Amino acid sequence: MSSDLQVVSTPDQLAERCAVHIVQVALLAFANRGVFRLCVAGGNTPRGAYARLAQQDLAHQLDWQRVHIYFGDERCVPPDHPQSNYHMLHESLLSRVPIPPSRVHRIAGEAPPPLAAQSYSELLRSALGVEPDGSPRQTFDLVLLGLGADGHTASLFPGSSLELEEWVSPRQHPTTGEWRVTLTEPLLNSAEETLFLVAGEDKAERLAEVRNTALDMLRLPAQRIVPRGHLRFLVDQAAASRSFI
Ligand code: 6PG
């Protein structure tokens, strides 16, 4: 897997580097397309980057009217639930920047998973357009992804079959049983740029496997992310400790 690996010393530096990168990609997208389509990751790792992006010195550089935010996945809980990825993003970023609500495209975690997946797929098809071959006409300028200690990304879990057509799918977490809604490989891989954010010693072994071992997409779903555009990893020293740099 040829990809760009950047290692920073601490999670704070990871947050800083990620937030600055989001601004850089956004400004380029504004210039090239007039709009910036960002697909955000859930979980804990990106929270610091979202909070950093909300700080005045970075936030004021963006025309939030031209930012569209989509979600890579969502837990099937209400939007005000502590486990909701929307809730995490609202607390860390959305409540602190002047982004119009119409620009935040939330997955309906409160709805039955199949319905939430169906309606999000329809939303994405209408927003991005669909080519005759079923691929998206427009793409995300930047997709942020995390890495689970088991090798999952978004809610593409180990043992799940590769999705070749649908853009959105309901999935059940293999250990907790909780339901999720996730973007799938065809849409995630259409992005202009994909950035994995990985921090912590508990991810080190899996990160090394994902990047340095033979392809095993069933066991390591993060290896399914082979985007059309750039693939980058922004990791802290602890997560990089088992990787060949
Ligand atoms: C989620 C994410 C999931 C996450 C990884 C890493 O909804 O939790 O989509 O894929 O990115 O599990 O999570 P942490 O950043 O919390 O380690």
Side-chain angles (χ1 to χ4, degrees):
M1 177 189 284
S2 74
S3 59
D4 165 31
L5 174 70
Q6 284 198 308
V7 183
V8 293
S9 302
T10 65
D12 281 352
Q13 287 175 345
L14 186 139
E16 174 73 21
R17 187 73 63 88
C18 177
V20 168
H21 189 66
I22 291 171
V23 171
Q24 288 168 334
V25 176
L27 294 176
L28 213 55
F30 291 154
N32 294 335
R33 304 180 170 189
V35 66
F36 172 50
R37 295 186 186 91
L38 172 65
C39 182
V40 296
N44 295 312
T45 305
R47 190 192 296 263
Y50 302 148
R52 178 65 187 90
L53 179 61
Q55 290 177 354
Q56 186 58 16
D57 63 319
L58 292 181
H60 93 282
Q61 296 185 49
L62 297 189
D63 174 2
W64 290 93
Q65 299 275 339
R66 294 196 286 165
V67 177
H68 284 262
I69 290 181
Y70 300 87
F71 289 77
D73 72 337
E74 183 57 279
R75 290 82 179 277
C76 293
V77 292
D80 58 354
H81 190 285
Q83 282 297 312
S84 160
N85 287 334
Y86 169 81
H87 177 73
M88 180 271 284
L89 190 76
H90 184 266
E91 294 298 291
S92 54
L93 176 65
L94 302 179
S95 58
R96 305 177 186 180
V97 295
I99 185 166
S102 62
R103 301 293 191 273
V104 181
H105 308 288
R106 186 175 70 79
I107 297 172
E110 67 279 19
L115 289 184
Q118 180 59 37
S119 63
Y120 207 58
S121 179
E122 286 161 8
L123 180 150
L124 287 163
R125 287 171 188 281
S126 139
L128 302 177
V130 189
E131 294 292 3
D133 67 359
S135 63
R137 184 160 299 134
Q138 306 286 344
T139 58
F140 298 123
D141 297 290
L142 180 61
V143 171
L144 300 177
L145 288 172
L147 177 67
D150 64 353
H152 80 260
T153 191
S155 288
L156 304 175
F157 296 112
S160 63
S161 49
L162 223 62
E163 174 57 56
L164 299 175
E165 286 190 16
E166 293 305 322
W167 289 5
V168 188
S169 174
R171 294 291 164 90
Q172 199 168 16
H173 194 289
T175 48
T176 66
E178 68 171 7
W179 278 96
R180 307 275 193 91
V181 172
T182 187
L183 297 196
T184 60
E185 297 85 342
L187 190 57
L188 291 173
N189 281 330
S190 69
E192 292 298 319
E193 177 177 340
T194 302
L195 178 63
F196 274 94
L197 297 173
V198 189
E201 170 71 32
D202 63 322
K203 307 288 177 72
E205 186 180 340
R206 206 64 63 224
L207 178 66
E209 280 195 301
V210 166
R211 287 179 46 78
N212 304 139
T213 62
L215 222 45
D216 185 348
M217 291 187 178
L218 209 57
R219 189 172 65 85
L220 298 169
Q223 289 185 334
R224 303 177 189 183
I225 304 303
V226 192
R228 203 173 56 80
H230 299 289
L231 175 59
R232 304 190 199 283
F233 287 79
L234 177 58
V235 308
D236 71 358
Q237 214 118 47
S241 56
R242 308 282 288 272
S243 291
F244 326 128
I245 304 298

